[in-house]
Amino acid sequence: MTDPRAQIGTTGKRLSRRSMLAGAAAGVVAPAAIASLGGSAATAQGNSKGDSGKTRRITMYAEEFPDGNVGYGLAPGKASIPGPILEIWEGDTLEIDLVNNTDRRLSIHPHGVNYSVDSDGSPLNDSFNEPGETRTYIWSTTAPYKASGNMWMPGSAGYWHYHDHALGGAHGTEGLRKGLYGALIVRRKGDILPERQHTVVFNDMTINNKVAPHVPILEANLGERVEFIAIGHGNTFHTFHLHAHRWANNRTGILEGPKDPSQVVDNRDLNPGDSFGFQVIAGEGVGPGVWMYHCHVQFHSDGGMAGIFLVRNEDGSLPDGAQAALDRYHGHEHGGDHPHGH
Amino acid sequence: MTDPRAQIGTTGKRLSRRSMLAGAAAGVVAPAAIASLGGSAATAQGNSKGDSGKTRRITMYAEEFPDGNVGYGLAPGKASIPGPILEIWEGDTLEIDLVNNTDRRLSIHPHGVNYSVDSDGSPLNDSFNEPGETRTYIWSTTAPYKASGNMWMPGSAGYWHYHDHALGGAHGTEGLRKGLYGALIVRRKGDILPERQHTVVFNDMTINNKVAPHVPILEANLGERVEFIAIGHGNTFHTFHLHAHRWANNRTGILEGPKDPSQVVDNRDLNPGDSFGFQVIAGEGVGPGVWMYHCHVQFHSDGGMAGIFLVRNEDGSLPDGAQAALDRYHGHEHGGDHPHGH
Amino acid sequence: MTDPRAQIGTTGKRLSRRSMLAGAAAGVVAPAAIASLGGSAATAQGNSKGDSGKTRRITMYAEEFPDGNVGYGLAPGKASIPGPILEIWEGDTLEIDLVNNTDRRLSIHPHGVNYSVDSDGSPLNDSFNEPGETRTYIWSTTAPYKASGNMWMPGSAGYWHYHDHALGGAHGTEGLRKGLYGALIVRRKGDILPERQHTVVFNDMTINNKVAPHVPILEANLGERVEFIAIGHGNTFHTFHLHAHRWANNRTGILEGPKDPSQVVDNRDLNPGDSFGFQVIAGEGVGPGVWMYHCHVQFHSDGGMAGIFLVRNEDGSLPDGAQAALDRYHGHEHGGDHPHGH
């Protein structure tokens, strides 16, 4: 149920990047095309032409796992940690019927989008689901608009996230600790669409509530356009580092033209409540292989905040040396500071 | 004296946003117009035409409160925590006569502006006020200028801050802990001016040296352009989150045209010595209501780092449900992790 | 050996800034010109015309110091903490023969550039030097390229860093603690070249593995273009603050034209694995003097994370008051929170 392969999706065919990019540029490839690869179920219903201004309605289920963790899912019995990637176009509205199948009060609270106090998801605004209760939360989005001179007020497009804000108290601290979180993407017309998507949540001293060597193996084939959505939660500070790939520290991770002044990074702060996203071409300029992603706070990576981004050969086969590296990763229980190395 | 309503100002009439924006675009609305709303006294003297290059002179007073905290003010007996918002145009010079009405050595040290070693405010440079002493600190500012090719050296415009750098040691650690800090805004010609201003300082485990439910209620009417200046101080890391509103993570929080690549955020790191500012249209797209702002580090929000941004109806009346939410906020002493919720 | 003056270089003549900038704009001033000032030895071999696409080969040596720390150097007996500044043009390839003159397994791992799994520097990929072993690591770089519409995939240009990833465990935690780190700069054609360079590494509770008053004095003459490369390592969060100077929070620290929306800062988060760089004109608008740079986390600066940026007069002489300030700095052992001030 928390198998990462279930969430990231591995059954979809690989799209031609050439046609994908052409389509994205023309704004005609729909998020629906991503859904089969990325588990982005919110986009599976309608909006196949990338039009903005549509209202989509989905049902989400909050469920407890046997180990006591709690997750969101798009169907009964399908909860996962992190929850499903919810993806809409700037201008869309998303109506979520949240079914609380647990015996605890909980809610869903989004970042980045518009919502009235009724959909705040906070006990402060009396906005939550009692055990067994179903409640509708409405999130809307908007494009940038001209404010004055050449200044524009920001729109909703971004790599955002959603999470509980009620389980265990005013701020959902217990709900977050147990896994009630997921990625929310609001795309702008013209944004390039990926072929793979991975959500990485640094939640206290875990990645997606797991520690090495049990952190999800994120996979792609050489040359695929892979999207990462990184989210921070909990009580500790973190920095997200990905080996051999980099991105622009801006809205999309891609440069808005050759004069975009954004810093390019491969390591970025990822603190509670923060999120960012980016796309890389898997293995570009570096080849396939077993690439680490980890928190760069040394005690955190040594303590198990380290996972694998496995870039396979273009045909999906394992590159030379990859199995040995995977075995090394799985061979240690905590990734720790061993005087004998590994 | 530390009543937040005194600091944020509630007596000024609400300006027409339409005329305000038109004025800002033309650069003819002076910061003086803000002073009556925002307590921005530094701008009350002169520069009513938004010209740059003026020298302004103010007197500030450092005073101890009965509870042992210490603050800056623009008149004797008027100290507040945070201190007054000081606001100038890029190109201006600000001369501050600091009167030390306490029995401790202290100083004032700015971020973002130019000053000689005499105005550094540090014991290292022998730049501080002994008890009872008055000392002049001079801060100047400058516009960007061309460096080479199309590259420009940065100017002074920004959301900055000032603070003590001498009380209790080389770095003013005790002065900061006790409240010697405030916002400093340097505006560029053409910047949009707000109708309301609020300073939010995450200082160790407090907001403006207070914890919930005693954190200031920040107020605005629906549709007003509200400016937040967020500042970090102390010894712990924080993330500032505002419900139902967002901003661009750039110089002004507003986009420099539709191609501005800046990430739009509603949660941002706010660590010691850092500051940023932004403007929102209160309740835009979400309606009036009782909106939380809080540190998104869970133990911090649970521990009391949570306040209220109260967006009233356009006519200033309380929206439906707002009183109940305010009562909930005031009903708990620490905002903590209650198994019973709220 | 860890004398900062050895690393920053003090023997080079001061270049005319006017000719420097003109040259940089035309892309004809080579990094080789910097090498004598900045210790940027990687650039001393070839590429005197600033062409991109060259392959450079250097040898680096890892060596243990008598105090147990470990450093990288460009010749036997020349290791330093931080290691030498490695500097290349976007498009170049750098081949490093790393000689391990210690009795511990170690490696070199870069940020920001391309490398195959063989050059990952990680035990995960069986990429490290056993004691006494020499191993070649290859780093390549690439320019941005058009992705779709007006979007461009990021290039390699940036202020990056390199560090051990194998000494003491999977993540090089012991190697980092002991000093195996340094700056890596990848420049884009047209980037402005500095006259001085300083590397500042916040490594746990130290600056370059030292604490006040033993932190390096960084020097420049009034009006020189000085480049700082700031790097974070270890286990604690930090904020880097420089008095009386500021920079844009973007790729270069300089604005990409007058409409560049980047926030201008004088204080920036500097957490483990992160790095950034910027250039200032020493003392511009503020005059010469003894300027502090320090971590703005109060307990960190009080605990010794504070150094001096000494801006001399244009002729290299000490400005008035500077010696007294230097004496104050050297007179206290920890920069602490003294009730008597300084």
Side-chain angles (χ1 to χ4, degrees), chain B residues 104-105 109-118 120 122-126 128 140 142 144-145 147-161 163 165-174 176-177 188 204 232-238 249-252 254 256 259-262 268-277, chain C residues 17 21-22 24-25 150-151 190-192 225 237-239 241-249 252-269 271 279-281 284-292 294 296-302 306 308 320-321 324-326 328-329 332 335-342:
Chain B
R104 303 288 298 279
R105 171 187 293 187
H109 167 80
H111 281 237
V113 297
N114 289 335
Y115 48 87
S116 71
V117 287
D118 287 342
D120 187 31
S122 71
L124 179 79
N125 278 315
D126 206 25
F128 52 78
S140 64
T142 181
Y145 68 88
S148 170
N150 196 37
M151 305 297 283
W152 287 61
M153 294 301 286
S156 309
Y159 290 99
W160 305 99
H161 60 106
H163 63 85
H165 209 306
L167 204 169
H171 299 284
T173 299
E174 185 181 346
L176 281 164
R177 189 164 54 234
R188 182 163 296 162
D204 280 330
H233 277 305
N235 296 289
T236 48
F237 87 105
H238 300 292
N249 190 17
N250 61 10
R251 180 179 69 84
T252 60
I254 306 173
E256 289 265 355
K259 298 300 285 179
D260 184 329
S262 303
R268 189 189 181 280
D269 293 342
L270 186 53
N271 293 324
D274 195 14
S275 60
F276 62 94
Chain C
R17 180 150 62 90
L21 296 180
N150 197 37
M151 304 298 282
D191 282 355
I192 300 175
R225 179 173 285 274
F237 88 106
H238 299 292
T239 55
H241 176 46
L242 174 62
H243 280 222
H245 299 77
R246 67 209 61 80
W247 64 94
N249 189 17
T252 60
I254 305 173
L255 298 173
E256 289 265 356
K259 298 300 285 180
D260 184 329
S262 303
Q263 188 182 6
V264 176
V265 298
D266 67 2
N267 191 90
R268 187 190 182 281
D269 293 342
N271 292 325
Q279 298 175 3
V280 298
I281 308 302
E284 185 179 49
V286 300
V290 173
W291 300 110
M292 265 190 274
H294 59 86
H296 214 296
V297 179
Q298 296 299 129
F299 289 172
H300 296 191
S301 48
D302 287 342
I308 298 295
D320 289 347
L326 290 170
R328 276 181 219 109
Y329 177 71
H332 68 89
D337 198 347
H338 302 293
H340 57 278
H342 290 261

Side-chain angles (χ1 to χ4, degrees), chain A residues 246 255 284 299 302 328 337, chain C residues 112 120 124 145 152 168 173 235:
Chain A
R246 65 208 64 80
L255 298 173
E284 186 179 49
F299 290 172
D302 287 342
R328 275 182 219 109
D337 197 347
Chain C
D120 188 30
L124 179 79
Y145 68 87
W152 287 61
T173 299
N235 297 288

Side-chain angles (χ1 to χ4, degrees), chain A residues 61-274:
Chain A
Y61 301 83
E63 300 181 327
E64 189 172 356
F65 298 107
D67 64 2
N69 276 338
V70 191
Y72 297 108
L74 289 161
K78 296 294 187 188
S80 59
I81 299 175
I85 298 174
L86 303 181
E87 186 175 334
I88 56 178
W89 293 97
E90 203 175 54
D92 289 351
T93 295
L94 185 60
E95 297 184 4
I96 299 173
D97 294 319
L98 177 65
V99 181
N100 181 2
N101 283 337
T102 79
D103 59 1
R104 303 287 300 279
R105 170 187 294 186
L106 54 74
S107 73
I108 189 165
H109 167 79
H111 281 238
V113 296
N114 289 335
Y115 48 85
S116 72
V117 287
D118 287 341
S119 294
D120 187 31
S122 72
L124 179 79
N125 279 315
D126 206 24
S127 170
F128 52 78
N129 298 51
E130 292 290 9
E133 190 184 357
T134 296
R135 183 186 178 96
T136 302
Y137 298 83
I138 301 175
W139 306 344
S140 64
T141 61
T142 182
Y145 68 87
K146 193 160 191 175
S148 169
N150 195 38
M151 304 298 283
W152 287 62
M153 293 301 284
S156 308
Y159 290 99
W160 306 99
H161 59 107
Y162 60 86
H163 63 85
D164 170 63
H165 208 306
L167 205 170
H171 299 283
T173 299
E174 186 181 345
L176 281 164
R177 190 164 53 233
K178 291 184 167 176
L180 284 170
Y181 50 73
L184 168 63
I185 305 176
V186 181
R187 294 199 195 273
R188 182 162 296 163
K189 194 168 172 179
D191 282 355
I192 300 175
L193 301 180
E195 293 158 282
R196 301 263 187 189
Q197 292 177 298
H198 297 298
T199 305
V200 175
V201 183
F202 282 11
N203 187 24
D204 280 329
M205 297 297 286
T206 77
I207 299 178
N208 297 0
N209 277 35
K210 299 201 176 299
V211 293
H214 307 294
V215 175
I217 306 291
L218 309 180
E219 300 199 16
N221 293 342
L222 183 66
E224 286 184 323
R225 179 172 286 276
V226 181
E227 182 168 76
F228 289 80
I229 308 101
I231 302 165
H233 276 306
N235 297 289
T236 47
F237 87 105
H238 300 291
T239 54
F240 173 92
H241 175 46
L242 174 62
H243 280 221
H245 299 77
R246 65 208 64 80
W247 64 94
N249 190 17
N250 61 10
R251 180 178 70 83
T252 60
I254 305 173
L255 298 173
E256 290 266 355
K259 297 301 285 179
D260 184 329
S262 303
Q263 188 182 6
V264 176
V265 298
D266 66 3
N267 191 91
R268 188 190 181 281
D269 293 342
L270 186 53
N271 292 325
D274 194 15

Side-chain angles (χ1 to χ4, degrees), chain B residues 49-72:
Chain B
K49 290 188 295 297
D51 299 341
S52 61
K54 293 286 177 63
T55 295
R56 298 137 185 263
R57 189 172 196 112
I58 60 170
T59 303
M60 290 184 77
Y61 301 81
E63 299 181 328
E64 189 172 356
F65 298 107
D67 64 2
N69 276 338
V70 192
Y72 297 107

